[in-house]
Structures are given as C-alpha cells and as structure tokens.
Amino acid sequence: MSNILVGECAAVMRDQCPDVSTDLVLTSPSYDDMRTYNGYSFQFEPVASEILRVLKPGGVCVWVVGDKINGGRSLTSMRQAIGFVDLGFTMHDVMIYQKKNTPFMRSNAYTNCHEFMFVLTKGKKPKTFNPLKSETKRNGMETAVYAKGADGDNSKRRAVELKREKVRTNIWPYAVGLGGTTCDRFAFEHKAMFPERLAEDHILSWSNPGDMVLDPMCGAGTTLKMAAIHDRKWLGIDISEDYAALAKRRVSEIELGMVAHG
C-alpha cells in the first residue's frame, strides 16, 4: 500500500494501519508551536503509542525534533525522548542533524544549528542496519604501536591496514534551503521540511527495498518521495489537505519521471 491519507495521524493509524505492519517510521513533528499548522497541535503519547503498535519487531522510528530556544530551551525533545522509552521503545541512538548554512544568529549564545534525530527501536536492536560509509583520508598499510605497557616503549610496532572507508559518525550535516533541502521549488509552500538527503540516508540505513515506510506527519512528502525513489512501499498521513496535496504532487512527479533530487 502506497497512499497519502488525510486526518489526525493517531486516529488514522488506529483505523488504517494493521499491527506490526511497518518497517520504518521517519517523521518530524510540529514541535513547540514554532510553525502555524492550521491550528493543529498533535498529542505526543497517542501518536507514539500507535507508532509502537504498527512497527514490526526490530522496526525503527526516526523522530526528528528540536526545541524552542527563546527564553531558554523548552526541552520538548528530551521530554519526548523519555516518553518514548517509558512507552517501551529502546533509544538505539541519539543522532544530530546539523544545518550547514543556518542563518539564525543569537545575541547571547552560540548559533543553534542542529536538531535531534532519535533512532528508536521496537525491541533491543534494529532488525536492519545498512551502515553508510565515508572515505578515510589515509588508507593502506601503516605501522602502529601495539601492546604498549607501563614502560612506555614505543618500539614495538606492527603493520596495520587502514581501510578506504569507515562507518559514518552519528552527526549528519546537510545544507538547507533551495538546492539543499530540495530542488522542488513548489515544495517550499511547506515551511518546515527536512532535507531529502536526510530522509534518504535514514531510509537506506534502516530499511530494505520492498519494506514499508510510514510518515504519520508527512507534510510536504519528503519521506514518501525518497521511499518511492528507493523502491520502498510507503504511507503518508497529514491533517492538512493542502499539505497532503503537495505531497501527492511530489510523489506523482517521480512516477512521471520528473524527479528533482536535492
């Protein structure tokens, strides 16, 4: 099933999504009322409970969230992280989404340039992990000290191989704005998108072709677009008819072969 449904996400999941039917949930909630969203504020616990129900054992939920920082941090993100664990999720990782070109300067603190990406599992560990890798600056054979004891002897050396690639760190930097977040100009009718490559990287990491990917607050459809590009089944839910229509347009352009990949 690949579809976009309109409605309150917890209710739609309850009525439309079977138990243990989903491999990956990738979403970002509208946190701290920092964006107007047709007057809608979601309720965390019903949404999180439904996500837990629909995930398969070992399924992953990636929850991208930040905090309002005016007058001090709201710590909404941390409260939600603890809420997930209290419901029965395992906090597999706390990753950082670093915005490479953030314009928001602060007068009395360092510029805030990140959001959290909580990687939560149903069970102790993810059933799928396809690690993304980056090139190492040095590779090949090299000598290195080994078995160094209290004598501080550096003469004991042996050859080790430095690999050409290494698994990426859990801090992921992305450019934002046109050409960074997406090349789909019309998608900026939605004011709070995460980058396509962020969605792509998580989809490749925590799912396989043919898996079901769900975004219960799909907004402009970034998760759905990248799931479709990478041969996953997908389901999007949004309470806004306008945003659902926007998401449908982005996915339909893939089917018509007009893919703009940011």
Side-chain angles (χ1 to χ4, degrees):
M1 175 176 65
S2 293
N3 200 2
I4 298 172
L5 305 175
V6 178
E8 191 277 317
C9 58
V12 173
M13 283 190 282
R14 183 184 65 241
D15 296 339
Q16 301 286 336
C17 299
D19 295 351
V20 295
S21 59
T22 303
D23 298 281
L24 171 64
V25 173
L26 171 56
T27 196
S28 182
S30 53
Y31 55 85
D32 288 337
D33 298 322
M34 292 181 67
R35 298 286 188 274
T36 57
Y37 201 69
N38 293 349
Y40 174 69
S41 296
F42 85 104
Q43 299 297 311
F44 170 76
E45 188 166 336
V47 174
S49 296
E50 284 299 313
I51 290 173
L52 184 63
R53 179 185 64 82
V54 304
L55 278 175
K56 297 176 182 178
V60 168
C61 171
V62 179
W63 187 263
V64 183
V65 67
D67 295 310
K68 190 175 182 178
I69 59 176
N70 290 340
R73 283 192 174 272
S74 65
L75 298 184
T76 296
S77 59
M78 299 303 170
R79 292 186 181 94
Q80 291 177 353
I82 293 169
F84 275 117
V85 174
D86 287 346
L87 285 170
F89 285 88
T90 297
M91 181 63 74
H92 181 68
D93 201 357
V94 176
M95 300 182 65
I96 298 295
Y97 154 33
Q98 178 188 354
K99 301 174 186 180
K100 293 170 67 174
N101 52 333
T102 179
F104 303 110
M105 306 299 290
R106 303 168 70 191
S107 61
N108 62 352
Y110 294 109
T111 301
N112 186 67
C113 67
H114 79 280
E115 294 184 14
F116 294 106
M117 301 184 292
F118 297 132
V119 181
L120 302 137
T121 58
K122 184 175 182 176
K124 294 299 182 184
K125 60 183 180 179
K127 64 184 180 64
T128 299
F129 178 47
N130 306 308
L132 303 179
K133 297 182 179 181
S134 58
E135 291 185 0
T136 55
K137 292 184 178 180
R138 293 167 30 224
N139 58 73
M141 301 304 294
E142 188 169 296
T143 61
V145 174
Y146 78 103
K148 185 174 180 179
D151 59 2
D153 182 3
N154 289 326
S155 65
K156 296 176 287 186
R157 306 180 71 86
R158 65 182 174 192
V160 295
E161 182 181 4
L162 302 179
K163 303 294 184 182
R164 291 183 178 274
E165 294 182 317
K166 60 182 178 182
V167 175
R168 286 168 54 172
T169 71
N170 62 358
I171 298 176
W172 289 0
Y174 300 98
V176 295
L178 183 64
T181 299
T182 181
C183 294
D184 298 335
R185 289 181 179 271
F186 67 88
F188 288 93
E189 294 173 25
H190 192 287
K191 303 303 182 184
M193 293 183 290
F194 52 52
E196 288 181 358
R197 294 200 182 278
L198 180 155
E200 179 178 54
D201 288 348
H202 280 298
I203 288 167
L204 293 174
S205 295
W206 312 110
S207 71
N208 294 312
D211 282 354
M212 172 58 74
V213 177
L214 166 66
D215 187 342
M217 292 171 273
C218 69
T222 302
T223 295
L224 314 183
K225 175 180 176 178
M226 304 317 294
I229 286 174
H230 290 288
D231 298 319
R232 273 64 167 171
K233 294 177 285 187
W234 51 266
L235 177 64
I237 305 168
D238 205 276
I239 199 167
S240 166
E241 292 185 2
D242 291 339
Y243 289 154
L246 186 63
K248 287 178 181 177
R249 179 180 173 188
R250 291 183 83 190
V251 175
S252 68
E253 290 196 352
I254 297 168
E255 297 169 352
L256 294 172
M258 299 185 296
V259 178
H261 190 174

